[in-house]
Amino acid sequence: AQKVTQAQTEISVVEKEDVTLDCVYETRDTTYYLFWYKQPPSGELVFLIRRNSFDEQNEISGRYSWNFQKSTSSFNFTITASQVVDSAVYFCALSEAYGSARQLTFGSGTQLTVLP
Amino acid sequence: DADVTQTPRNRITKTGKRIMLECSQTKGHDRMYWYRQDPGLGLRLIYYSFDVKDINKGEISDGYSVSRQAQAKFSLSLESAIPNQTALYFCATSSLGTSGYNEQFFGPGTRLTVL
């Protein structure tokens, strides 16, 4: 069975601080996909990134960066110079790569509050 | 216009009532999903469908049923609503594509309250 753990339930930072959201996953598959979604206060789910298990290169997109470490089964998300608009719930998710289902298993989410 | 739409966006109902939540998509995706979100639990899969003739139960299907009326439409029904079905419900779509990714695109959500 697949499992995603986001141990940080809530994080609060002051604007311009850097913040890292942790994600640890469990799977028996050797090939899989990892995702991050953002849920702002308005409620919709916004796709942020997808990562293949065979690609361990870190990725940077503006103020966002992701650190994928297969050895520790972690896929952490860092926001540099946080802004108030970054306040949201962030979900990490895992999907099998093969098989007909390819369901997404979500973590319980991390509520990030960026204070002005 | 949004690619994945859900109606209604908000609904308050009473215990025992039958409720239908509807989802439509214009993305041309073959796969559609229904999730519910509860505080502190993330999103949990209720049902998913890979095409009109293919319906599968997810993690928490008890008390729910679905109908895939067309490739673009996937409805979720609560036959007899109960208060612990109060939650935020999301519809999602995806398509494998040539790359095999299962990136899912979500609708705006339906907030359901069962009194």
Side-chain angles (χ1 to χ4, degrees):
Chain A
Q2 297 182 320
K3 184 179 179 181
V4 177
T5 301
Q6 294 179 255
Q8 304 152 308
T9 304
E10 297 181 15
I11 299 176
S12 183
V13 299
V14 177
E15 201 170 23
K16 297 184 182 179
E17 288 184 356
D18 299 346
V19 57
T20 295
L21 310 182
D22 297 333
C23 173
V24 175
Y25 61 92
E26 297 176 26
T27 179
R28 293 180 179 177
D29 295 336
T30 55
T31 305
Y32 47 88
Y33 299 117
L34 294 162
F35 304 80
W36 276 95
Y37 285 86
K38 173 183 179 180
Q39 186 178 41
S42 52
E44 74 273 23
L45 280 160
V46 179
F47 166 77
L48 295 178
I49 190 172
R50 172 189 58 241
R51 171 63 65 204
N52 305 329
S53 58
F54 49 84
D55 180 3
E56 292 193 65
Q57 281 190 337
N58 291 329
E59 183 159 340
I60 298 174
S61 176
R63 296 185 297 107
Y64 295 170
S65 62
W66 290 270
N67 184 348
F68 174 37
Q69 293 195 349
K70 207 168 182 177
S71 60
T72 57
S73 297
S74 65
F75 186 43
N76 297 336
F77 173 30
T78 298
I79 301 175
T80 303
S82 61
Q83 299 176 2
V84 173
V85 293
D86 295 327
S87 296
V89 180
Y90 290 86
F91 291 99
C92 180
L94 167 70
S95 172
E96 57 191 341
Y98 301 110
S100 60
R102 304 201 189 192
Q103 299 175 31
L104 272 181
T105 300
F106 284 84
S108 56
T110 296
Q111 170 72 61
L112 173 66
T113 301
V114 181
L115 303 170
Chain B
D1 290 338
D3 295 320
V4 184
T5 58
Q6 293 182 233
T7 56
R9 294 293 312 278
N10 289 282
R11 182 70 183 270
I12 300 174
T13 191
K14 295 182 178 180
T15 298
K17 294 291 187 181
R18 185 177 188 275
I19 296 296
M20 178 180 285
L21 309 182
E22 299 186 344
C23 176
S24 295
Q25 54 115 345
T26 58
K27 300 188 74 67
H29 288 170
D30 51 352
R31 300 178 171 214
M32 298 187 74
Y33 309 79
W34 275 105
Y35 293 88
R36 65 175 278 175
Q37 181 182 8
D38 298 278
L41 293 179
L43 277 77
R44 292 180 293 166
L45 183 63
I46 306 172
Y47 270 96
Y48 60 101
S49 169
F50 290 166
D51 64 42
V52 174
K53 297 181 180 179
D54 181 85
I55 302 290
N56 303 280
K57 292 183 178 180
E59 179 187 353
I60 52 165
S61 60
D62 288 348
Y64 301 95
S65 63
V66 292
S67 173
R68 186 83 182 265
Q69 300 95 324
Q71 187 190 33
K73 296 184 182 296
F74 192 37
S75 299
L76 175 71
S77 293
L78 287 68
E79 298 301 325
S80 179
I82 56 177
N84 75 2
Q85 290 178 313
T86 293
L88 184 56
Y89 290 85
F90 285 101
C91 174
T93 73
S94 73
S95 179
L96 279 183
T98 56
S99 61
Y101 291 142
N102 192 33
E103 175 184 327
Q104 294 185 16
F105 296 87
F106 287 81
T110 294
R111 188 167 297 280
L112 176 65
T113 303
V114 183
L115 302 176

